[in-house]
């Protein structure tokens, strides 16, 4: 599993933008500055839709005062689902929604979870603060928990 003080590895994540599918290498995307990546088990799921993503949208400005340049939500869903999810919640451009379509990047980080018949390979619920490509903070939830990856907790750690 990736740890604090590790360099973020290369990989491929996507998003659906106005110009079509965009491809990102997280190692390059987060190479400069301070960024937050938080992961959810799935778009449109209750805790993810009602609390996790909205928390980061609500606290985006406060996180920016702590030097956070971008907030990014990762899920093992396709880019079309991620875009539809963001539109359904009206998040605007406060959080970039990143698709790890087949879970390959989550597995590379050691943060994948096999949920079996429920949904197959998904991401564990976590949040990480990345500074110049290095994992500064990593907060991984225990199964069925929602405490240390929420926006409020991350903001407290940056204060």
């Amino acid at each position: 599993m990736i740890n604090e003080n590790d360099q973020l590895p290369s990989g491929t994540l996507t998003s659906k933008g106005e110009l079509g599918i965009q491809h990102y290498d997280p190692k390059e995307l987060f190479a400069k500055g301070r960024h937050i990546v938080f992961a959810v088990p799935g778009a449109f799921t209750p805790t993810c839709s009602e609390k996790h993503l909205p928390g980061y949208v609500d606290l985006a400005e406060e996180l920016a005062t702590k030097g956070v340049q971008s907030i990014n939500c990762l899920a093992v869903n396709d880019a079309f689902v991620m875009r539809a999810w963001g539109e359904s919640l009206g998040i605007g451009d406060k959080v970039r929604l990143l698709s790890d379509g087949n879970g390959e990047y989550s597995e590379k980080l050691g943060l994948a979870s096999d949920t079996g018949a429920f949904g197959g390979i998904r991401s564990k619920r976590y949040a990480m603060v990345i500074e110049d490509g290095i994992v500064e903070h990593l907060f991984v939830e225990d199964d069925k928990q929602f405490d240390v990856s929420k926006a409020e907790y991350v903001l407290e750690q940056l204060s």
Side-chain angles (χ1 to χ4, degrees):
M1 180 171 79
I2 195 161
N3 293 296
E4 291 180 352
N5 301 313
D6 286 351
Q7 184 171 9
L8 204 61
S10 287
T12 302
L13 301 173
T14 59
S15 71
K16 171 71 173 85
E18 296 300 321
L19 302 175
I21 300 291
Q22 297 172 293
H23 297 267
Y24 300 98
D25 180 341
K27 183 175 182 174
E28 294 174 12
L29 185 62
F30 307 122
K32 301 262 188 254
R34 185 182 242 186
H35 307 273
I36 292 174
V37 174
F38 70 98
V40 298
F44 291 103
T45 57
T47 300
C48 305
S49 295
E50 296 166 11
K51 296 177 184 174
H52 209 170
L53 178 54
Y56 282 95
V57 172
D58 293 345
L59 293 178
E61 290 177 22
E62 287 182 62
L63 289 162
T65 68
K66 303 298 180 191
V68 174
Q69 294 174 289
S70 73
I71 303 170
N72 305 269
C73 177
L74 180 146
V76 181
N77 290 109
D78 68 54
F80 297 96
V81 168
M82 295 297 284
R83 180 176 176 135
W85 185 40
E87 288 174 350
S88 76
L89 295 174
I91 68 166
D93 62 357
K94 291 184 177 181
V95 176
R96 179 188 296 128
L97 300 177
L98 296 172
S99 168
D100 181 16
N102 63 0
E104 186 176 316
Y105 195 68
S106 295
E107 288 180 341
K108 184 180 270 191
L109 295 177
L111 293 169
S113 176
D114 187 347
T115 65
F118 175 75
I121 299 297
R122 297 293 181 142
S123 175
K124 291 185 177 192
R125 188 182 302 278
Y126 67 85
M128 67 171 72
V129 179
I130 303 158
E131 178 90 36
D132 295 332
I134 305 295
V135 178
E136 181 181 10
H137 298 287
L138 177 62
F139 310 107
V140 182
E141 299 285 3
D142 291 330
D143 289 344
K144 299 185 182 188
Q145 295 296 304
F146 178 56
D147 296 307
V148 298
S149 66
K150 63 174 73 172
E152 297 84 354
Y153 184 82
V154 173
L155 180 61
E156 284 176 22
Q157 304 313 302
L158 297 178
S159 295

